């Protein structure tokens, strides 16, 4: 929706408007809440005489847990709610007599003509969601390619050592986030300190299973699975533990994909559910349902087959992962639960309040009364979280049992705090030089994903351009390349783009403030005493802005004054410091250096206590 543009004529001549400008913060929050409600309602709708959750299963377990992930990740449903809200606000404010869509913005082109008809506005140009047949063909071709690639990957995967029964803990990790050349658990980018602590206690009894492609998700292509496995990490490729014979059930699901698609399409309840706010959104929803049946469910079924085969081969006392809320993690939790193997889910990043992966209704956490084999949402036996903020969120909004949640602290924060405390003045000065600030400019560090920040980056760059005594350093996100930020920095002498490998601890120590959209580095900075400005509000850091521990800018016009205030208003900086000193201890966001050890203790306790929550 960032670049959606319309030409509107309110009787005084046509002018170009940007749809985003008609979606304020309150409307954005309402659209997110409406998306969640719409997706969650889907599980209860009738398909072939049964609730959707019960209609589609594998080995008795509902495939609903994967359907909601697909809808939330693709954000088409969210896009529909946002576009409808923005259109309604635009029409109420501008009262146009004529409008047309510029560009090929599919959702807007499908919705704008409907809005025009309802409000008696002349609509010019092409309309409709368009092109569904071709997109469906491409979707099915992709489904075929992924299935063929999964079969081919078995041929190129190195042979796994024969399990000897020595595995006590099986840690399922993503290969793309393992540091090349590191053979121990410390090479894992997200939970390396915890794995290292477990190795200290158990040695080789900790076995790593690698899932997913070796390439970063921004760079991966489906054909990458055909490349030879070059031993990127110490993790055993899960393909080597799950030969083709173990994929029987998922291949059956793949064969049934079009039958499942037709069942979804033929549901009267689902078709009626696609009427959103008086708009017929069926063409867009229809394609999302096809994606669930053709892509998501066959992939999810294969993940379940592979997870089950790996657990059968290794027979661990405990299985753990840090991706327990995603598709792979849910597959692992289902198969471990089926086998009575205790599981641990390790928090590895901030749990956003609007992240559907961690939002559950009460009935989802309970067994399906009409299907005894469906024991409810596949949560871990124990979920290890960083702080009381995460614990409270999961208990209240995720409906996790209180006894299943353990606050262990953030190992990554411990590492960062230790690194920051060990820095010499010379190393901090070197960070200033690398960022282009030297001794003459105040350093402001920008940390965020480009795709989340692109609509506000230009305004930030303009604000910094008007502050010649300020240097903005953009630290590239690990999932992106510096090239993404080049247009922002080009021609500006006080903006420099740094690689993802630039040392974060030194940059934070050197900075007067950080600016972000959604990055949890803002919380790391808060622990280190560095104030943060959150732009592009509302977003997932809104609760911390509301608590007063971070500054905020909801519009592009607010960015420059907010940045000046956080840099030059000493009273405001002191006010934020007091708010941080009161708030952070209250929710347990802190570092004491023992998070990895506590996490290891909690995982090891599962060996003796078994699978009881």
């Amino acid at each position: 929706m960032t670049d959606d543009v319309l030409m509107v004529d309110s009787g005084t001549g046509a002018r170009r408007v940007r749809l985003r400008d008609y979606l304020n913060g309150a409307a954005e929050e309402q659209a997110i809440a409406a998306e969640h409600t719409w997706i969650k309602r889907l599980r209860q709708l009738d398909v072939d005489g049964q609730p959707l959750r019960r209609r589609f299963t594998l080995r008795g377990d509902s495939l609903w847990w994967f359907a909601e992930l697909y809808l939330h990740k693709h954000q088409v449903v969210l896009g529909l709610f946002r576009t409808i809200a923005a259109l309604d606000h635009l029409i109420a404010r501008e009262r146009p007599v004529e409008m047309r869509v510029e560009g090929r913005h599919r959702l807007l082109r499908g919705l704008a003509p409907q809005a025009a008809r309802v409000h008696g506005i002349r609509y010019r140009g092409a309309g409709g969601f368009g092109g569904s047949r071709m997109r469906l063909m491409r979707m099915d071709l992709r489904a075929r390619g992924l299935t063929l690639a999964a079969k081919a990957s078995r041929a190129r995967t190195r042979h796994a050592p024969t399990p000897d029964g020595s595995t006590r803990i099986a840690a399922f990790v993503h290969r793309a986030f393992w540091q090349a050349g590191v053979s121990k658990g410390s090479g894992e980018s997200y939970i390396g300190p915890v794995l290292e602590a477990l190795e200290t206690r158990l040695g080789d009894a900790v076995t790593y299973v690698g899932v997913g492609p070796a390439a970063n998700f921004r760079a991966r292509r489906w054909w990458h699975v055909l490349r030879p496995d070059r031993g990127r990490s110490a993790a055993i490729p899960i393909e080597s533990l799950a030969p083709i014979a173990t994929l029987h059930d998922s291949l059956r699901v793949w064969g049934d994909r079009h039958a499942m698609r037709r069942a979804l399409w033929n549901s009267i309840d689902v078709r009626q559910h696609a009427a959103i706010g008086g708009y017929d959104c069926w063409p867009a929803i229809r394609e999302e349902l096809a994606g669930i049946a053709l892509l998501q469910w066959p992939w999810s079924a294969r993940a379940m087959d592979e997870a089950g085969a790996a657990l059968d081969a290794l027979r661990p006392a405990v299985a753990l992962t840090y991706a327990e809320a995603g598709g792979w993690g849910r597959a692992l939790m289902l198969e471990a639960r089926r086998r009575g193997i205790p599981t641990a889910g390790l928090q590895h990043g901030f749990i956003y309040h609007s992240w559907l992966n961690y939002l559950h209704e009460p009935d989802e956490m309970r067994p399906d009364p009409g299907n005894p084999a469906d024991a409810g949402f596949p949560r871990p036996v124990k979920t290890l979280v960083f702080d009381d903020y995460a614990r409270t969120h999961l208990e209240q909004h995720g409906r996790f049992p209180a006894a299943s949640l353990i606050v262990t602290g953030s190992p990554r924060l411990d590492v960062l705090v230790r690194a920051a405390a060990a820095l010499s003045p010379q190393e901090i000065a070197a960070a200033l030089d690398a960022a282009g600030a030297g001794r003459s400019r105040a350093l402001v560090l920008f940390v965020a994903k480009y795709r989340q920040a692109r609509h506000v980056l230009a305004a930030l760059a303009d604000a910094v351009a008007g502050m010649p005594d300020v240097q903005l350093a953009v630290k590239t996100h690990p999932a992106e390349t510096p090239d993404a930020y080049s247009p922002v920095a080009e021609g500006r002498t006080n903006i420099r783009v740094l690689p993802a490998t630039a040392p974060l601890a030194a940059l934070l120590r050197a900075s007067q403030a950080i600016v972000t959209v959604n990055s949890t580095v803002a919380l790391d900075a808060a622990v280190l005493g560095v104030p943060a400005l959150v732009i592009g509000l509302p977003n997932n850091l809104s609760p911390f802005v509301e608590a007063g521990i971070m500054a905020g800018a909801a519009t592009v016009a607010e960015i420059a004054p907010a940045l000046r205030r956080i840099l030059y208003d000493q009273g405001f900086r002191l006010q934020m410091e007091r708010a941080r000193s009161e708030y952070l201890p209250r929710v347990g966001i802190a570092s004491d250096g023992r998070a990895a050890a506590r996490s290891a203790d909690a995982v090891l306790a599962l060996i003796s206590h078994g699978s009881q929550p």
Side-chain angles (χ1 to χ4, degrees), residues 387-399:
D387 44 55
D388 286 325
Y389 183 92
R391 180 192 58 76
T392 300
H393 178 76
L394 291 184
E395 190 173 345
Q396 294 182 354
H397 302 286
R399 271 78 180 191

Side-chain angles (χ1 to χ4, degrees), residues 216 218 448-452 476-485 500:
N216 181 284
R218 290 283 174 194
K449 290 181 180 178
Y450 174 78
R451 64 183 178 86
Q452 293 179 341
T476 305
H477 190 274
E480 296 168 337
T481 65
D483 294 342
Y485 303 90

Side-chain angles (χ1 to χ4, degrees), residues 35 48 75 89 105 109 133 216 231 243 256 259 323 361 384 438 474 494 575 604:
E35 178 227 13
D48 293 338
Q75 295 196 330
H89 288 156
H105 310 294
R109 285 165 67 99
R133 184 184 295 267
N216 181 284
D256 291 342
E361 297 300 317
L384 280 51
V474 178
N494 61 341
Q575 175 185 327
L604 291 172

Side-chain angles (χ1 to χ4, degrees), residues 250-605:
S250 56
L251 289 174
R252 177 177 54 79
V253 170
W254 184 81
D256 291 342
R257 67 195 185 282
H258 284 292
M260 294 189 296
R261 170 185 60 80
R262 288 190 294 270
L264 289 169
W265 283 6
N266 291 335
S267 166
I268 296 174
D269 279 8
V270 173
R271 177 66 180 83
Q272 292 175 343
H273 196 47
I276 298 175
Y279 292 81
D280 183 6
C281 301
W282 177 242
I285 297 300
R286 187 174 182 265
E287 287 189 16
E288 290 303 286
L289 297 174
I292 290 171
L294 301 185
L295 295 170
Q296 183 66 52
W297 281 342
W299 177 90
S300 301
R302 186 169 75 247
M304 289 173 66
D305 280 352
E306 291 178 339
L311 291 171
D312 288 341
L314 297 175
R315 301 187 300 278
V318 173
L320 71 84
T321 185
Y322 56 82
E324 77 290 346
W328 237 109
R330 292 184 180 194
L332 174 62
M333 295 302 125
L334 285 169
E335 295 306 317
R337 182 169 69 187
R338 193 185 321 282
R339 291 159 175 79
I341 297 173
T343 50
L346 277 61
Q347 182 181 348
H348 68 287
F350 187 67
I351 298 176
Y352 299 125
H353 72 286
S354 62
W355 200 357
L356 192 71
N357 298 39
Y358 286 102
L359 301 175
H360 309 294
E361 297 300 317
D363 68 282
E364 291 182 290
M365 302 302 280
R366 296 192 296 264
D368 179 357
N371 175 18
D374 175 1
F377 176 74
R379 63 172 178 82
V381 171
K382 297 293 182 182
T383 299
L384 280 51
V385 296
F386 293 164
D387 44 55
D388 286 325
Y389 183 92
R391 180 192 58 76
T392 300
H393 178 76
L394 291 184
E395 190 173 345
Q396 294 182 354
H397 302 286
R399 271 78 180 191
F400 279 57
S404 73
L405 301 169
I406 305 175
V407 177
T408 55
S410 170
R412 186 181 61 82
L413 179 59
D414 282 351
V415 171
L416 180 67
V417 169
R418 275 197 303 269
L423 288 168
S424 67
Q426 293 77 17
E427 289 171 313
I428 296 173
L432 286 167
D433 291 339
R439 310 300 184 274
S440 60
R441 290 175 176 169
L443 179 62
V444 173
L445 179 65
F446 177 79
V447 184
K449 290 181 180 178
Y450 174 78
R451 64 183 178 86
Q452 293 179 341
R454 58 186 177 183
H455 63 291
V456 290
L457 265 178
L460 176 62
D462 290 341
V464 172
M467 304 177 188
D469 58 339
V470 172
Q471 176 74 16
L472 179 67
V474 178
K475 188 178 187 299
T476 305
H477 190 274
E480 296 168 337
T481 65
D483 294 342
Y485 303 90
S486 296
V488 177
E490 188 174 1
R492 301 181 189 270
T493 58
N494 61 341
I495 299 179
R496 181 172 294 184
V497 180
L498 303 176
T501 54
L504 178 61
L507 288 169
L508 287 175
R509 284 286 305 275
S511 297
Q512 291 297 304
I514 77 158
V515 180
T516 188
V517 175
N518 262 329
S519 176
T520 57
V521 172
L523 285 171
D524 299 334
V527 174
L528 293 173
V530 182
L533 169 62
V534 183
I535 59 178
L537 293 171
N539 57 43
N540 290 311
L541 293 176
S542 293
F544 301 103
V545 175
E546 294 164 3
I549 71 167
M550 299 176 190
T555 66
V556 293
E558 295 174 356
I559 292 177
L563 185 57
R564 289 192 178 92
R565 189 181 188 197
I566 202 171
L567 287 174
Y568 305 124
D569 187 334
Q570 294 304 314
F572 180 63
R573 289 174 67 91
L574 183 60
Q575 175 185 327
M576 291 182 67
E577 183 180 344
R578 285 197 295 265
R580 291 195 302 270
S581 66
E582 295 172 1
Y583 181 86
L584 295 180
R586 188 164 72 247
V587 297
I589 299 178
S591 169
D592 66 359
R594 299 193 62 253
R598 277 192 297 268
S599 299
D601 289 341
V603 172
L604 291 172

Side-chain angles (χ1 to χ4, degrees), residues 71-135:
L71 294 172
H72 185 54
K73 179 180 179 180
H74 277 237
Q75 295 196 330
V76 170
V77 176
L78 177 59
L80 288 167
F81 278 103
R82 295 173 73 209
T83 302
I84 289 169
L87 276 172
D88 289 348
H89 288 156
L90 181 153
I91 291 170
R93 188 190 310 176
E94 303 295 343
R95 300 187 180 279
V97 297
E98 180 177 304
M99 67 181 183
R100 64 181 169 87
V101 176
E102 290 205 335
R104 301 178 61 84
H105 310 294
R106 178 170 169 261
L107 298 185
L108 181 56
R109 285 165 67 99
L111 295 169
Q114 298 186 53
R117 284 195 298 272
V118 170
H119 293 279
I121 300 167
R122 290 192 302 272
Y123 183 81
R124 305 292 187 187
F129 293 93
S132 60
R133 184 184 295 267
M134 185 59 66
R135 275 193 291 271

